[in-house]
Amino acid sequence: MKLLCVDSEPVYREIISLCAEKEGVTVKSVASYEEAILAFESYAPDIVTLDVIVKGGSGYDLVQKLKFLSGSRFVPMIFLASHTADSVMDKCFKAGADDFIPKPFNEVLFNIRLKTHMRHVELMKEMYRKNKALTFYQTMIEREHEMAHQVLDHIQTRSEKNSEQVAITRLSAASFNGDLALVKTRSDGARLVFVGDFTGHGLPASIGALPVMQTFFDAVDDLICVNELAIRINRILFSILPDYMFCAGYLMLMKQGGEITYWGGGMPNAFIRRSNGSVDYLQSNHMPLGILSVNEFEADLQSNKLNAGDTLIIVSDGVLELKNCLDEMLGGDQAKALISRIYAESSLIAAQQNIERELAEYQGESEQLDDITLVALRSTCLQ
């Protein structure tokens, strides 16, 4: 710890030096304004003591100058002054002083105040060190997030874009989306679909997305059947995810004639908005992916069919659990009513935009607590 003593009286420079050195502080003493500026820049003290009256200048101006030179460093400025009027003390503190001790001063009092400021300096130094470390780690995390975003977004681009046959909405509750929505038409004309919802949201929920996406697109290329794909994804997630994480999901193969073969585990019922306005459901009867071992996993499939003009809508639980400003969940009944009304629109893209707007209006200013995924597919693309 270093102290700079600025005092025109040699006796006080000696007293301050003796007191400070007893506390293990290294002291540099100067007698004038200009010496103080030069010493502050070269010596870089942790604490400064000075008088109101300084040779070659004003103690008030000196404090302001030294505070400016200290920049982001915390350097306590302690006035030791013979003038003890309230107006003098007021000017000292307004100029930037951190303490005021009248002359002549008691050695015990000076040592107590000095040790107090020494503790403050150490605390500030520790805070600066921790802030610097936090800034470094934050920068590293931002870089890692940027890289993860780039990788995830690159793989996601292999999925089909929004069109009048396929519309995908993914709204993140955090910087990373823990939901997956993958749609790809195979070489035989059938469309493979995977909608997955990992436990939680944010980066941890996105970790399992990479191997799942790669497995999905490999299955598209190799014409893998749905139950085999479900087995493969479950095997991967069971081996890599911690016990508290899993992935609810739908895996579907939609043929050109409208037939649907699907596996569902842990997801809300999917909606089929028929062309006549009625709403049917696809049920998700299995356990989520990543929970059961290979021997326990059930890969049996269910089937349904879309007729001309029908729309299949798959939603994650973030849609059904969306809350408004009154803390009320949207729920299945309101979601069904919205879907029946909005997907009567002849344009699938317009319908998707309308439901996004209505969900945003329902949410209002309330916080989005979970990722939202909504995938709509029109049967006209399958004929």
Side-chain angles (χ1 to χ4, degrees), residues 93-118:
F93 284 110
K94 284 183 177 179
D98 298 284
D99 205 347
F100 185 98
I101 301 175
K103 288 180 179 179
F105 56 82
N106 180 281
E107 181 181 336
V108 174
L109 173 62
F110 177 81
N111 287 345
I112 290 172
R113 304 282 268 275
L114 178 62
K115 284 189 282 190
T116 298
H117 289 291
M118 289 169 64

Side-chain angles (χ1 to χ4, degrees), residues 80 99 182 299:
L80 302 171
D99 205 347
L182 305 172

Side-chain angles (χ1 to χ4, degrees), residues 173-302:
S175 58
F176 284 86
N177 197 323
D179 291 354
L180 274 178
L182 305 172
V183 181
K184 193 72 173 178
T185 301
R186 306 191 315 185
S187 60
D188 61 357
R191 176 170 281 118
L192 190 63
V193 180
F194 177 64
V195 179
D197 181 0
F198 281 87
T199 311
H201 56 269
L203 181 58
S206 299
I207 296 299
L210 288 172
V212 170
M213 286 191 284
Q214 190 59 56
T215 304
F216 174 86
F217 289 115
D218 287 345
V220 171
D221 296 337
D222 299 336
L223 303 180
I224 300 297
C225 59
V226 174
N227 57 344
E228 176 60 27
L229 179 56
I231 291 170
R232 291 187 182 186
I233 293 177
N234 180 76
R235 182 190 301 119
I236 291 169
L237 296 182
F238 183 78
S239 64
I240 68 172
L241 293 181
D243 293 340
Y244 57 85
M245 287 191 70
F246 54 82
C247 179
Y250 276 110
L251 273 166
M252 297 184 179
L253 186 66
M254 307 177 67
K255 296 183 179 179
Q256 290 178 303
E259 296 86 0
I260 304 171
T261 303
Y262 71 95
W263 181 96
M267 289 284 284
N269 290 338
F271 302 90
I272 299 179
R273 199 273 181 192
R274 301 294 183 183
S275 58
N276 62 7
S278 63
V279 177
D280 293 333
Y281 300 98
L282 300 185
Q283 293 185 333
S284 175
N285 295 328
H286 294 297
M287 294 284 285
L289 298 159
I291 291 180
L292 300 177
S293 66
V294 174
N295 294 331
E296 297 172 310
F297 185 72
E298 298 174 345
D300 53 293
L301 306 179
Q302 297 173 271

Side-chain angles (χ1 to χ4, degrees), residues 1 47 74 76 111-126:
M1 189 78 67
I47 301 174
F74 172 65
N111 287 345
I112 290 172
R113 304 282 268 275
L114 178 62
K115 284 189 282 190
T116 298
H117 289 291
M118 289 169 64
R119 285 196 296 271
H120 289 167
V121 170
E122 288 295 343
L123 287 172
M124 292 301 294
K125 285 183 176 180
E126 181 64 19

